[in-house]
Amino acid sequence: MAKHDKDATFVGDSRVSAKRIPNISPSYSDFPGKSEAFWPNFLLKEWMVAAVGLIAFLVLTVSHESPLTAKANPNDTSFVPLPDWYFLFLYQLLKYPWAAGDYVILGILGIPGVAFGAMVLVPWLDAGKERRPLKRPVTTGLMMLSLFSIFFLTWAAHDEHVKKHGASHGGAGANAPAAAADPNFKAGDIWTAQASCQGCHGKNLEGTAGPNLQKVGEKYKPEEIKEIITKGKGSMPPGMFKGSDEDLNKLVEYLASLK
Amino acid sequence: MMQKMYDWVDERLNITPMWRDLADHEVPEHVNPAHHFSAFVYCFGGLTFFITVIQILSGMFLSMYYVPDIINAYESVKYLQTEVAFGVIVRGMHHWGASLVIVMMFLHTLRVFFTGAYKKPRELNWVVGMLIFFVMLGLGFTGYLLPWDNTAYFATKVGLQIADTVPWVGPYLKTLLTGGEIVGAQTLTRFFAIHVFFLPGALLGLLGAHFVMIRAQGISGPL
C-alpha cells in the first residue's frame, strides 16, 4: 500500500500530508515484456468483453427460465430430493456403504475434511519453491485424483437419479400427460384427503410428476389399483397411502369408478 | 475541470496514493490475453468477481419482491417470475449466476493451484480465497431453500439431516440452522437472514482482504 515518510509533515492538525505525491503513472517495469496500464487501457478491453458476455448471459436467462416446482409440501413423501449440482459429489459419497452407516464419519468428515483441509493448507504442505505443475508431481497428482473423483461422483449421482426417477428433478414431470387432463374435473373427497397422492397425481387427479388418473378405471381393475397403491409401481414408492384399510378400499373403489 | 476537482479533493484527502493502489497498476504481458490468448486462464478471478457483482445487484432487486415467510415466499417468487416486468430476467440472472459463480471460482482456484501462485509470499491470500469458496457454497446452500418449492424444501431437509450426522457439532449446527425441530417457518427466516445478511457481510470482508492482498503483493510472475 501507500508508502508514507516517517517524518512526514502534516497540514494543520489533520493527518493529510503536506507533501503531495504527483499523480504520474509509474513506469510499469516490475515485469518483463509488454506491460499494459490497467487503467484505462486494459479495463476498457475487459469491459467490452464483459458486455458481450453479459448479453450472452441475459439471452440464457430468457431462453432457459429458472425452474420452480410446486409449492413446498412436507407431506409429499414421494418427492425425490436432489441437492444443487455442485453439492452432488458430497451427496453421492454418502451413498456408498463404506462412507455411510457405521462409517458415516468417514463420508462426512474423513474424506471431505482431509480433502478440503489439505486445500486450505496446501501452501504449507507444498512449500517448495517450484511452481510448475510437472515439477511437483505429488501435488499435481493428488489434485488430478481429487478432480477425477469430483467429476466421477457428480456424474454417478446424476446418472443414478436419472435412471431411478427419470430426467426430471422429481417435480414437473417428463411423464406427465398434461394434455389429457380435464381442467373441469373435480376429485372426490376420498382423494382430496390424501396429500401425498396429490403430490404426484395432482389435486384433481390431473397428474404432475405421476400420471393422470382421471380415467384410471378404464385401464385397471380394482384389485390392480389396490396392488399399485400398496406395492408401488415404477418410480412410485410403496406405502404412500395414509389411512385405514377401510379408507384404502374406498379410495380403490373410487379410482376404479373413474371411466 | 476534472483535473481541478481531483486536485481540490486530493489537497484535502491526499487520494493519489489510494488511486495508485486501486487502479494505477500494470497488467503484465503473461496475464494479458491480448498478448497470449492462453492467458485467458488468468481472467477467471475477475469473472468470479464480475458475476458476484451481478449476484449482489440481482439479489437486491429480488429482495424488492421476495417475502421470507412460508405462506408468501413461493407466491412472491412465482409472482416475480410470471407477472413482474423483467422479473424472469432478474430471477434468471440470480439463479444461473449462482451456478456460474461456482464454476468460475472453481476454475480460478484450479488456475491458482496449477500455476503454484499460492506459494510464498501469497499463502494468506490462498487461505482467504478458500474461505471465500466456503462462503460461496454456504450462499448456494441457503439460497436454494428460499423459493420454498418442493425441490428447495426436500434438498434442504436432506442437507440438514447430513449436517446432523457430523460428530459433536452436528446436532447444534442443525438446530442453529433449522431454528426448531422441523424445517419450517423459522428455518426459512434463518436461511433468509444468513443468505442476505450474514454471508454477504462475510463475503464482502473476505473479498476486500483478497483484493488488498493482491494489490499489496502484485500478481505472481510468469512460470
Side-chain angles (χ1 to χ4, degrees):
Chain A
M1 303 241 73
K3 288 182 185 70
H4 296 284
D5 291 329
K6 276 193 176 159
D7 53 345
T9 45
F10 297 104
V11 180
D13 59 353
S14 79
R15 305 297 296 171
V16 175
S17 174
K19 254 189 271 170
R20 285 175 57 199
I21 303 162
N23 188 15
I24 301 164
S25 288
S27 66
Y28 297 146
S29 52
D30 287 352
F31 290 99
K34 288 167 259 170
S35 280
E36 190 174 15
F38 174 72
W39 173 280
N41 309 25
F42 186 71
L43 193 61
L44 184 67
K45 289 183 211 160
E46 232 178 17
W47 272 355
M48 288 192 289
V49 177
V52 175
L54 187 60
I55 290 170
F57 186 47
L58 285 174
V59 169
L60 169 81
T61 63
V62 175
S63 63
H64 288 75
E65 235 177 84
S66 6
L68 190 64
T69 51
K71 187 172 178 174
N73 176 9
N75 295 325
D76 179 359
T77 41
S78 68
F79 195 89
V80 184
L82 193 69
D84 217 349
W85 62 268
Y86 43 87
F87 288 118
L88 281 179
F89 68 104
L90 292 170
Y91 182 62
Q92 181 70 12
L93 183 64
L94 294 171
K95 286 187 190 163
Y96 295 109
W98 42 267
D102 293 343
Y103 307 104
V104 71
I105 289 183
L106 193 65
I108 291 270
L109 279 187
I111 297 169
V114 167
F116 282 112
M119 272 297 269
V120 173
L121 297 177
V122 76
W124 294 277
L125 296 173
D126 173 34
K129 277 218 157 51
E130 189 51 67
R131 283 178 53 205
R132 268 164 288 200
L134 291 178
K135 292 275 175 70
R136 41 193 182 104
V138 178
T139 317
T140 307
L142 286 173
M143 186 50 141
M144 295 310 273
L145 186 70
S146 313
L147 284 179
F148 175 78
S149 314
I150 289 175
F151 282 116
F152 173 77
L153 286 171
T154 305
W155 170 82
H158 179 74
D159 187 56
E160 196 177 310
H161 187 80
V162 169
K163 272 190 190 139
K164 266 194 188 159
H165 311 289
S168 74
H169 272 234
N175 51 357
D182 177 0
N184 300 318
F185 186 92
K186 279 274 168 272
D189 290 342
I190 185 71
W191 176 258
T192 49
Q194 289 298 327
S196 50
C197 304
Q198 290 167 31
C200 287
H201 296 290
K203 280 203 165 92
N204 288 310
L205 298 149
E206 71 276 16
T208 54
N212 177 338
L213 301 179
Q214 287 172 352
K215 287 180 178 162
V216 70
E218 283 177 0
K219 202 171 164 192
Y220 294 112
K221 294 189 191 89
E223 311 83 67
E224 288 170 332
I225 292 174
K226 190 169 179 179
E227 192 175 320
I228 291 170
I229 292 174
T230 49
K231 292 185 180 164
K233 180 174 184 286
S235 63
M236 174 173 163
M240 296 307 302
F241 178 82
K242 301 279 180 311
S244 62
D245 285 351
E246 197 183 328
D247 283 344
L248 178 61
N249 287 332
K250 270 191 205 159
L251 180 66
V252 169
E253 202 176 309
Y254 167 71
L255 289 173
S257 71
L258 298 171
K259 283 174 189 173
Chain B
M1 181 66 189
M2 287 299 285
Q3 189 58 46
K4 272 195 164 174
M5 282 163 70
Y6 180 88
D7 285 342
W8 190 91
V9 176
D10 190 39
E11 193 182 339
R12 282 154 185 81
L13 291 170
N14 194 19
I15 56 172
T16 294
M18 280 187 256
W19 163 249
R20 283 260 178 282
D21 293 333
L22 195 71
D24 204 359
H25 53 84
E26 63 184 316
V27 179
E29 183 183 334
H30 73 284
V31 304
N32 193 336
H35 291 301
H36 305 283
F37 184 70
S38 61
F40 73 87
V41 293
Y42 285 89
C43 292
F44 293 132
L47 284 168
T48 310
F49 179 62
F50 180 57
I51 300 164
T52 305
V53 171
I54 289 180
Q55 290 304 93
I56 292 171
L57 292 176
S58 59
M60 277 156 59
F61 279 99
L62 284 179
S63 71
M64 288 179 164
Y65 287 91
Y66 182 72
V67 185
D69 78 60
I70 54 171
I71 314 258
N72 296 308
Y74 178 79
E75 311 298 342
S76 67
V77 173
K78 199 171 182 183
Y79 177 75
L80 177 78
Q81 177 133 351
T82 54
E83 305 286 329
V84 178
F86 305 116
V88 67
I89 293 182
V90 175
R91 180 162 181 253
M93 286 176 87
H94 207 71
H95 175 87
W96 297 115
S99 291
L100 214 52
V101 86
I102 300 278
V103 172
M104 291 301 167
M105 196 170 52
F106 185 67
L107 294 173
H108 175 58
T109 310
L110 290 183
R111 193 283 292 170
V112 173
F113 189 91
F114 285 121
T115 57
Y118 55 80
K119 290 176 175 251
K120 191 187 171 187
R122 298 185 175 78
E123 299 98 323
L124 282 177
N125 215 7
W126 169 265
V127 173
V128 169
M130 285 311 294
L131 293 179
I132 293 175
F133 199 107
F134 296 137
V135 168
M136 287 287 193
L137 290 180
L139 281 164
F141 181 66
T142 50
Y144 205 54
L145 176 69
L146 300 185
W148 201 248
D149 61 353
N150 273 328
T151 320
Y153 181 86
F154 288 102
T156 303
K157 211 170 160 182
V158 172
L160 289 171
Q161 278 164 4
I162 292 172
D164 195 23
T165 55
V166 176
W168 309 299
V169 293
Y172 301 105
L173 187 65
K174 191 196 171 212
T175 311
L176 179 73
L177 289 170
T178 319
E181 293 297 307
I182 55 156
V183 178
Q186 273 288 340
T187 319
L188 184 60
T189 48
R190 285 194 181 201
F191 271 53
F192 177 74
I194 292 168
H195 185 79
V196 173
F197 296 107
F198 290 77
L199 290 180
L203 181 70
L204 290 179
L206 289 167
L207 282 178
H210 207 59
F211 296 157
V212 164
M213 281 192 257
I214 296 172
R215 284 280 64 77
Q217 299 177 319
I219 200 161
S220 57
L223 278 178

Coordinates of all heavy atoms in Angstrom, one line a residue, chain A residues 16 47-48 137 211 248:
Chain A
V16 N -3.4 14.6 6.8 CA -3.1 14.7 5.4 C -1.7 15.3 5.2 O -1.4 16.4 5.7 CB -4.2 15.5 4.7 CG1 -3.8 15.7 3.2 CG2 -5.5 14.9 4.8
W47 N -14.0 -4.5 -20.2 CA -15.4 -4.1 -20.2 C -16.1 -4.5 -21.5 O -17.3 -4.9 -21.5 CB -15.5 -2.6 -20.0 CG -15.6 -2.3 -18.5 CD1 -15.6 -3.2 -17.5 CD2 -15.6 -1.0 -17.9 NE1 -15.6 -2.5 -16.3 CE2 -15.6 -1.2 -16.5 CE3 -15.6 0.3 -18.4 CZ2 -15.7 -0.1 -15.6 CZ3 -15.6 1.4 -17.5 CH2 -15.6 1.2 -16.1
M48 N -15.4 -4.3 -22.6 CA -16.0 -4.7 -23.9 C -16.3 -6.2 -23.9 O -17.4 -6.6 -24.3 CB -15.1 -4.3 -25.1 CG -15.1 -2.8 -25.3 SD -14.3 -2.3 -26.8 CE -12.6 -2.6 -26.5
P137 N 5.1 -33.4 -8.9 CA 4.2 -34.4 -9.3 C 3.2 -34.9 -8.2 O 2.1 -35.2 -8.6 CB 5.1 -35.5 -9.8 CG 6.4 -35.3 -9.2 CD 6.5 -33.8 -9.0
P211 N -48.6 -40.0 -13.4 CA -49.6 -39.9 -14.5 C -51.0 -39.4 -14.0 O -51.3 -39.4 -12.9 CB -49.7 -41.4 -15.0 CG -49.0 -42.2 -13.9 CD -48.2 -41.4 -13.0
L248 N -58.7 -47.2 2.4 CA -58.0 -47.7 1.2 C -59.0 -48.3 0.2 O -59.0 -48.0 -1.0 CB -56.9 -48.7 1.6 CG -56.1 -49.3 0.4 CD1 -55.4 -48.3 -0.4 CD2 -55.1 -50.3 0.9

